């Protein structure tokens, strides 16, 4: 088996998926959109994402007050 070919094929499929529109869950009217379009929409709407940070999963963060102690 050619691992390089398999990896390139997988990456091409992933890139194609990130660039297409499709239903994620049509029953609940949830779709996925191209990643570039999603970024544009978030910027236009000034949407800010507050990512939940779990200290256990985030590990040591040198910017956190606890790390400065």
């Amino acid at each position: 088996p050619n691992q390089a070919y398999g990896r390139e094929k997988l990456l091409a499929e992933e890139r194609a998926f990130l660039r297409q529109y499709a239903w994620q869950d049509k029953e609940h009217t949830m779709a996925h959109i191209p990643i570039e379009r999603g970024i544009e929409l978030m910027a236009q709407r000034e949407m800010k994402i507050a990512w939940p940070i779990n200290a256990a999963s985030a590990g040591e963060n040198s910017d956190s007050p606890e790390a400065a102690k």
Side-chain angles (χ1 to χ4, degrees), residues 5-17:
Y5 173 76
R7 178 171 168 77
E8 284 301 316
K9 183 178 176 187
L10 177 63
L11 289 174
E13 291 170 358
E14 290 175 343
R15 283 190 293 270
F17 180 77

Side-chain angles (χ1 to χ4, degrees), residues 4-66:
Y5 173 76
R7 178 171 168 77
E8 284 301 316
K9 183 178 176 187
L10 177 63
L11 289 174
E13 291 170 358
E14 290 175 343
R15 283 190 293 270
F17 180 77
L18 291 174
R19 292 186 175 112
Q20 67 183 349
Y21 292 88
W23 285 110
Q24 191 72 25
D25 184 350
K26 193 170 185 176
E27 182 180 322
H28 294 102
T29 63
M30 184 183 344
H32 68 85
I33 63 174
I35 194 164
E36 292 88 7
R37 181 66 180 139
I39 292 168
E40 289 171 4
L41 289 172
M42 289 184 70
Q44 287 173 0
R45 298 174 186 177
E46 297 181 8
M47 298 177 83
K48 307 223 182 329
I49 302 293
W51 298 103
I53 297 177
N54 181 340
S57 65
E60 294 286 327
N61 183 353
S62 59
D63 296 326
S64 70
E66 291 78 24

